[in-house]
Amino acid sequence: MSDLGHFLSEKRKEQGKSIKDVSKATLISKAAIEAIESGDFDSLPSYVHCYGFVKKYAEYLGYTYDDVKSLFESECKKEDFQVQEAQESEVDYSSADSKRKFPVFAAVFLLLIIGGILAYVFVPSGTLDKEVKQIESKGELTTGNTTSGNETELKKNKALPEDNISQEKTEGGKEQALKTDKKSSGLENATESDGKAKDNEITPYEITQELNKEKKVVEKKYDVSLDFSDTCWVHVNIDNEKQLDFIAEGGLIKTISFSDFFIIDIGNAAAITISHNGDIYRNLGGWREPVKNLRFTMDNGTLKYSKIEN
């Protein structure tokens, strides 16, 4: 049995208090109290939990952390938790992988066999031959089309001189026709420009869409300061989007940001001060008294809270 656990256990018994009494007053679980008294700190989640629980347990019995500091530091070391976390993170998956390889391979092999049997039973024997012939005929058609297209292009490129002369005459006639028909061409240009203007015209719907894009609502955030004068556990629900759980020590100042609301549960209601731009709330409950479901919101720039009844 550890010296620290023996000390706390003896003082608890001298005061006529049971482990259940300690758990109810400090909100420390019975299992954690039993672990502390037996010196089994490795079973607790982290070094911070060990420190917070021992400090709270000692204060409940009427002692300070300084009274048990030397015993605690000699039996519970931060390095032990760091080594334990490092060992837990190093997991060898090679044996697990080797066990999985054979079943996966066997399953794939069985699926292939079953698929072949089903194909043999249900697919008619002549179906595959028909599909192959259709693919071959499509290939021949494609080749033939390509060849005929190339021949057509070659014929076009082999234009005779007479064709070139007639083409030049035709182009000259077109130029003359364009010069003599300036009025008609002007009308055509105007018609084309009007068509382009209509195509580029912005509709009322598009204007509304652009205005809506510019009117994006920027969600406002409010910063609130949590100032702790003593150790206590805290749970915060921020806008039903973020949850915070931590053990605060005396002197800690923590800032949280919210848009709509935040709900806070406190293990030591007298140890916390909540403030925002001159709005200050303290003494939310008695010393070492837990308070839950305090809902804080902003009302016309003022931080306000109310108690949510279960």
Side-chain angles (χ1 to χ4, degrees):
M1 187 174 189
S2 72
D3 294 335
L4 175 60
H6 179 72
F7 173 80
L8 295 173
S9 177
E10 288 298 318
K11 297 302 178 185
R12 171 177 62 77
K13 293 176 181 177
E14 289 176 4
Q15 297 179 17
K17 296 174 181 175
S18 64
I19 292 178
K20 183 178 180 181
D21 296 332
V22 179
S23 176
K24 185 177 180 180
T26 62
L27 300 181
I28 303 173
S29 67
K30 295 179 182 179
I33 296 171
E34 291 173 352
I36 292 170
E37 291 189 354
S38 62
D40 185 17
F41 295 103
D42 292 340
S43 64
L44 296 178
S46 68
Y47 178 82
V48 174
H49 285 81
C50 294
Y51 167 79
F53 291 163
V54 169
K55 184 174 183 295
K56 186 179 291 187
Y57 190 1
E59 290 175 347
Y60 170 73
L61 297 176
Y63 297 90
T64 64
Y65 174 70
D66 292 335
D67 295 331
V68 297
K69 181 178 180 181
S70 59
L71 293 175
F72 174 73
E73 292 179 349
S74 64
E75 297 180 14
C76 182
K77 301 183 183 300
K78 188 182 295 185
E79 294 79 9
D80 295 339
F81 284 90
Q82 293 173 349
V83 171
Q84 182 180 355
E85 291 173 359
Q87 291 176 348
E88 290 176 354
S89 63
E90 297 177 358
V91 180
D92 183 12
Y93 294 99
S94 58
S95 60
D97 292 340
S98 64
K99 291 178 181 178
R100 292 177 188 144
K101 286 180 181 177
F102 177 75
V104 172
F105 175 77
V108 173
F109 183 71
L110 287 173
L111 287 175
L112 290 174
I113 293 174
I114 294 171
I117 294 171
L118 292 175
Y120 179 78
V121 172
F122 293 103
V123 177
S125 60
T127 303
L128 295 176
D129 295 336
K130 290 180 181 180
E131 290 181 353
V132 171
K133 290 179 180 179
Q134 289 178 358
I135 292 171
E136 290 177 353
S137 62
K138 287 182 180 179
E140 291 175 358
L141 290 172
T142 305
T143 306
N145 291 336
T146 304
T147 304
S148 61
N150 291 334
E151 290 176 355
T152 305
E153 289 178 358
L154 288 172
K155 289 179 180 179
K156 288 181 179 179
N157 291 333
K158 292 180 180 179
L160 295 174
E162 294 179 358
D163 294 335
N164 292 337
I165 293 170
S166 61
Q167 185 176 1
E168 290 177 357
K169 289 181 180 179
T170 304
E171 290 177 353
K174 288 181 180 179
E175 291 178 357
Q176 186 175 2
L178 289 171
K179 289 179 181 179
T180 55
D181 296 336
K182 289 182 179 179
K183 291 182 181 180
S184 61
S185 64
L187 291 172
E188 288 175 0
N189 291 334
T191 304
E192 290 178 359
S193 62
D194 291 341
K196 290 179 180 179
K198 289 180 180 179
D199 292 338
N200 296 329
E201 183 179 356
I202 299 175
T203 64
Y205 174 76
E206 293 174 338
I207 294 173
T208 304
Q209 291 293 100
E210 293 297 325
L211 292 175
N212 290 336
K213 289 181 181 178
E214 295 178 358
K215 292 181 180 179
K216 290 183 179 179
V217 178
V218 178
E219 194 175 49
K220 191 171 182 180
K221 292 281 188 180
Y222 303 100
D223 293 334
V224 174
S225 177
L226 309 180
D227 189 350
F228 298 91
S229 61
D230 196 12
T231 303
C232 71
W233 58 262
V234 182
H235 172 77
V236 187
N237 173 4
I238 303 176
D239 296 321
N240 279 338
E241 296 178 354
K242 186 176 181 181
Q243 306 284 334
L244 298 178
D245 285 287
F246 59 94
I247 296 177
E249 299 181 10
L252 174 67
I253 299 176
K254 189 176 184 64
T255 301
I256 62 172
S257 299
F258 74 98
S259 297
D260 188 16
F261 68 89
F262 70 91
I263 301 172
I264 187 168
D265 301 336
I266 312 161
N268 187 354
I272 187 171
T273 299
I274 302 175
S275 59
H276 168 78
N277 289 345
D279 300 326
I280 300 174
Y281 295 94
R282 58 168 62 94
N283 297 326
L284 298 171
W287 185 254
R288 297 176 184 167
E289 175 188 353
V291 176
K292 295 185 178 181
N293 295 329
L294 296 182
R295 188 176 192 274
F296 285 81
T297 58
M298 293 299 298
D299 185 6
N300 294 326
T302 301
L303 181 67
K304 293 185 177 180
Y305 81 95
S306 59
K307 182 73 163 48
I308 301 175
E309 299 296 336
N310 292 332

